[in-house]
Amino acid sequence: MINVAKEMEHLNKLAGNNQAKRFTDLWESLTSEEWLAQAWEEIRRNIGSRTPGIDKETAEDIDLTRIHHLSRKLHDGLSQPKSVRRVYIPKSNGKLRPLGIPTIEDRIVQQATRMVLEPIFETDFLPCSHGFRQGHSPHTALRDVARMSPRVSWVVEGDIVGCFDNIPHSELLKAVTRRIADEKVMSLVSAFLKTGYMENWQFHKTYSGTPQGGIISPLLCNIFLHQLDVYMDSLGANETQTRKEANLRRSPAYRKIDNAIMNTRAKLRNNPERQARRELLDKLQELEKKMRQTPVYDARHHTKLGYVRYADDFVILVNGTVENARDIKTKVEEH
């Protein structure tokens, strides 16, 4: 009997301890009744579980007997993903966004697959990625932008047009195989990408993209766009300076005041006389006022780039000239 939470923690630990490890033998966990039942339980909590796919079934039609049969079908290779139901929802700009609604059984299997893949790939994802991740949100993305903004001269704003619909399947699967060597799991992920969609009861094939609305799609999007995060990291984005580097950049005037403050505080600690302490406190107040008016650094921090991504939207914060910003924009477009 599988303890799902502990097994997910174990996968996360193994992946974190060995960044080059490729995982095999995931299929037995993914298709077990315990794993599928946990996936079903998580789906049931979501109001979207009441939305039917092309078979018109919802979470209310699922029970433990159906989970048992689903487990057997997956083990015997008799379960294949069905087409998703295409619907459209309004966007803030007045246009319509296409959503693909999988059948309830396919949602359970997608959730089970996500529960296998996410603990592994989470150890690879970088802090600059904020979309669809536990502990991350639009607010954490904005927080990071706000922290970098005081030293920013130019901002490159990026939005990958139609990202979910245009991710190339072959490149996406290649990104997944970097960590996953279980052929049955890879076949399942590939099958979900190629299910196609039904619109007005007409079938349409899908040659690229991950359907918006699919449970596994946000994770697959992050796995694919992680390559952009790695590229930005290779360009030196979000590098931090050491305390030693920061101290070396401090201006002589600021350093002189800082030393005077330290000496004054040391005299205060060692001088019990009331009049002398009052004079030292007045001097300390004057020094601290002067410090607030003195520039801390003579030179800019050598880090030129900040980078924050939320799903397919990202910003590159450039501490430099407009030519620097145009250069990084061109590099990212080409990459």
Side-chain angles (χ1 to χ4, degrees):
M1 188 158 181
I2 296 176
N3 184 317
V4 178
K6 285 189 176 180
E7 182 63 22
M8 290 174 68
E9 288 178 12
H10 181 59
L11 289 173
N12 183 260
K13 186 175 181 179
L14 287 175
N17 289 340
N18 184 353
Q19 295 291 319
K21 181 175 176 59
R22 298 182 70 227
F23 286 79
T24 58
D25 303 324
L26 298 172
W27 186 250
E28 289 301 315
S29 294
L30 191 157
T31 58
S32 68
E33 288 186 46
E34 296 90 349
W35 204 276
L36 293 169
Q38 180 63 36
W40 171 50
E41 187 61 35
E42 294 190 18
I43 288 172
R44 286 174 63 191
R45 301 172 192 160
N46 193 322
I47 193 171
S49 65
R50 303 172 194 170
T51 306
I54 62 170
D55 60 1
K56 300 183 179 179
E57 290 189 332
T58 67
E60 294 177 357
D61 298 298
I62 302 295
D63 55 23
L64 290 176
T65 302
R66 284 284 296 273
I67 295 294
H68 172 76
H69 290 315
L70 178 59
S71 176
R72 293 298 345 138
K73 284 194 297 182
L74 286 166
H75 269 293
D76 298 338
L78 301 176
S79 178
Q80 286 295 318
K82 295 180 175 64
S83 304
V84 301
R85 182 168 68 91
R86 172 66 64 92
V87 298
Y88 293 89
I89 60 171
K91 297 170 67 174
S92 58
N93 60 7
K95 296 182 180 180
L96 295 176
R97 182 193 304 279
L99 285 185
I101 311 298
T103 65
I104 191 64
E105 280 198 358
D106 285 346
R107 270 176 270 179
I108 292 171
V109 178
Q110 283 197 28
Q111 174 67 9
T113 307
R114 186 192 68 78
M115 288 160 51
V116 164
L117 299 182
E118 193 170 66
I120 296 169
F121 283 96
E122 265 297 322
T123 63
D124 295 341
F125 293 157
L126 301 179
C128 58
S129 170
H130 293 264
F132 317 118
R133 297 179 63 195
Q134 190 171 7
H136 295 261
S137 68
H139 296 90
T140 61
L142 289 168
R143 175 204 64 197
D144 285 1
V145 172
R147 285 175 177 173
M148 298 176 195
S149 61
R151 63 172 188 266
V152 170
S153 310
W154 297 88
V155 176
V156 179
E157 189 270 336
D159 178 6
I160 302 175
V161 179
C163 177
F164 279 89
D165 292 330
N166 293 305
I167 293 176
H169 289 168
S170 59
E171 295 301 316
L172 173 56
L173 291 171
K174 190 186 299 181
V176 178
T177 57
R178 195 183 64 79
R179 278 296 214 167
I180 308 301
D182 189 314
E183 292 185 5
K184 290 183 178 180
V185 173
M186 289 304 306
S187 295
L188 183 62
V189 172
S190 178
F192 276 123
L193 294 175
K194 298 173 182 176
T195 53
Y197 64 92
M198 295 287 289
E199 185 174 5
N200 297 324
W201 298 106
Q202 285 191 330
F203 174 74
H204 301 265
K205 287 185 177 180
T206 47
Y207 299 98
S208 65
T210 62
Q212 294 191 55
I215 289 173
I216 199 173
S217 295
L219 174 60
L220 293 177
C221 177
N222 269 340
I223 290 172
F224 186 74
L225 293 182
H226 173 67
Q227 299 169 107
L228 175 60
D229 303 342
V230 171
Y231 176 69
M232 291 304 303
D233 190 62
S234 73
L235 297 180
N238 300 336
E239 281 185 0
T240 56
Q241 61 178 334
T242 65
R243 180 174 293 182
K244 182 179 179 181
E245 289 171 332
N247 286 335
L248 288 173
R249 289 172 51 237
R250 295 200 303 174
S251 67
Y254 187 90
R255 199 189 306 263
K256 183 178 179 180
I257 298 170
D258 191 33
N259 289 336
I261 288 174
M262 289 175 62
N263 291 334
T264 303
R265 285 175 177 164
K267 290 178 182 177
L268 264 173
R269 286 193 297 270
N270 300 321
N271 197 328
E273 188 181 306
R274 180 176 294 182
Q275 181 61 31
R277 287 181 64 82
R278 185 178 292 115
E279 291 174 0
L280 287 169
L281 284 169
D282 289 342
K283 181 181 179 181
L284 185 61
Q285 190 173 14
E286 284 296 316
L287 287 169
E288 288 175 341
K289 180 180 178 181
K290 193 174 180 181
M291 175 181 261
R292 288 193 294 271
Q293 298 170 347
T294 305
V296 181
Y297 299 117
D298 268 346
R300 283 183 168 185
H301 177 20
H302 71 277
T303 298
K304 294 290 184 182
L305 298 176
Y307 168 72
V308 179
R309 179 175 67 81
Y310 186 91
D312 55 344
D313 292 293
F314 61 90
V315 289
I316 303 169
L317 303 112
V318 184
N319 180 6
T321 65
V322 66
E323 288 77 17
N324 296 144
R326 286 173 177 154
D327 179 58
I328 191 65
K329 178 176 178 289
T330 301
K331 286 179 178 178
V332 172
E333 283 177 338
E334 291 173 352
H335 184 74

